[in-house]
Amino acid sequence: ATDSLSAARGTVGAEVVIGGPFQNLRYEGCVTPHLGASVTPRALGQAVRFTQGAACLSASSQVPEENVLEVQGLRAQIDDGWAFVDGTVRIAHLFDSRDIEFRRWDLRAEAEDLRFARGRQSIAGGLALTLNGNAELPRLSGTVRINEGELRDSFELKNFYLEKESGEPSAPLHQQLAPVGLSNLDLDVDVTIADLRVRADVATIRLDSTLRGELHVDDSVRVPQLTGLIDVSEGNFIFPYANFEIQQPEIEFPRRPDGRVNPDIYVLARGDLEPPRTGLDAEVECALTLDGDLDRLVLNLDVDDAGDEYDRTTILRYILFGAPLSTGRNYEGDAAARAG
């Protein structure tokens, strides 16, 4: 649809043949973008400049209501990267009043140095994928490489729970793919992450970390299964009055009934709380943990100073506002001992 494009430039060559009875016209032909012709899809936000190839449509010789769309080595430049697509798609009811049906795919796509950006997210990398199969069980297989990127999100701190700021929920992926007949897409894709920066903002708190790893995505797009290893190569929780270094991250990808990719996360980080602002005579170590998933994470804080204990509210007041720890010692144990 033309409303999916924000701009189009250049010229194309076209050869089209129309034949058959008026009630059942048949269309055949090819469209060949001339060198430098470009379109800018709204979803991509970047110009796609064609450098070679064509797209041809022909009527099926075996099934009257089917057409075959053949992509003939279509290659394009996208910013500093490139993409290549080749193969066929069989489509039914393309020119009659019935709903269009995508009946079979046999496509191959390759790309390098592509960069996608949307809102506060950006990813750069490449891919080598094939899409094969009929409408009942199409299959996407191959590799995706994330060379670099940044993911940013905002959270709210509510009574020691970190919760994602509410926003417009996106439709499940299988629903987004339904218009092109891929709601039953089967997956067999390896994902390599070389350098992915993750940032989370919580008022005056900031998480800054770098992820690396390898994942395998399989099963259905309705309920995908992710396996593999994600490593936090470096990371910090930065508070106004303390800095915590991530030491023990654990990230797992359980299968969710609704098909969402929402990892379970456990993070242990440690930081030193230094005098004189703490009101203590010596430096003390504080342990910070986060436990939960991306919808809700439980924050815990713990300091053990030579037998003196501090509740997490006291610690949080210090690392957020600089309120001295010495005013919040827990003397319940001493009082109990004296009473005995």
Side-chain angles (χ1 to χ4, degrees), residues 142-160:
T143 60
V144 173
R145 299 175 303 282
I146 299 175
N147 297 331
E148 61 179 4
E150 181 172 270
L151 304 179
R152 298 190 65 174
D153 218 330
S154 296
F155 291 77
E156 296 176 313
L157 180 60
K158 299 179 180 179
N159 195 26
F160 291 95

Side-chain angles (χ1 to χ4, degrees), residues 29-254:
C30 291
V31 174
T32 306
H34 292 166
L35 183 64
S38 68
V39 296
T40 305
R42 292 186 187 278
L44 185 60
Q46 300 179 72
V48 179
R49 296 181 297 276
F50 298 101
T51 58
Q52 68 180 47
C56 297
L57 187 69
S58 61
S60 170
S61 59
Q62 300 175 336
V63 184
E65 73 272 17
E66 277 191 2
N67 289 88
V68 179
L69 174 63
E70 183 179 5
V71 183
Q72 300 178 344
L74 198 60
R75 187 181 179 96
Q77 274 191 299
I78 306 172
D79 199 8
D80 293 329
W82 58 267
F84 174 87
V85 181
D86 188 76
T88 61
V89 183
R90 302 184 75 87
I91 310 170
H93 311 306
L94 189 58
F95 300 109
D96 61 37
S97 59
R98 287 171 287 182
D99 291 338
I100 294 176
E101 296 179 16
F102 292 82
R103 292 188 170 175
R104 183 169 181 85
W105 296 262
D106 290 287
L107 292 173
R108 174 173 63 96
E110 297 179 7
E112 285 291 349
D113 299 321
L114 293 188
R115 183 175 295 275
F116 300 96
R118 177 177 295 181
R120 304 169 74 188
Q121 329 294 338
S122 66
I123 291 178
L127 57 84
L129 297 170
T130 59
L131 175 60
N132 300 103
N134 55 31
E136 286 72 30
L137 192 62
R139 185 175 182 82
L140 182 70
S141 58
T143 60
V144 173
R145 299 175 303 282
I146 299 175
N147 297 331
E148 61 179 4
E150 181 172 270
L151 304 179
R152 298 190 65 174
D153 218 330
S154 296
F155 291 77
E156 296 176 313
L157 180 60
K158 299 179 180 179
N159 195 26
F160 291 95
Y161 291 100
L162 293 180
E163 298 180 352
K164 286 188 67 172
E165 291 186 352
S166 58
E168 187 68 25
S170 58
L173 185 56
H174 72 272
Q175 293 182 13
Q176 299 181 45
L177 295 174
V180 291
L182 294 175
S183 60
N184 294 321
L185 184 63
D186 190 58
L187 302 170
D188 181 18
V189 178
D190 290 314
V191 181
T192 301
I193 302 171
D195 192 340
L196 181 61
R197 188 178 183 188
V198 176
R199 298 190 64 178
D201 299 311
V202 190
T204 57
I205 310 168
R206 189 173 81 245
L207 163 65
D208 201 338
S209 62
T210 301
L211 305 184
R212 296 185 174 92
E214 295 185 352
L215 293 172
H216 183 71
V217 187
D218 61 9
D219 239 327
S220 167
V221 72
R222 292 178 179 269
V223 189
Q225 177 69 52
L226 278 73
T227 56
L229 177 65
I230 294 292
D231 178 52
V232 180
S233 60
E234 56 186 27
N236 294 86
F237 287 99
I238 303 169
F239 290 76
Y241 292 95
N243 190 347
F244 295 83
E245 183 177 350
I246 295 176
Q247 296 186 351
Q248 183 183 330
E250 297 177 10
I251 303 174
E252 298 180 350
F253 294 88

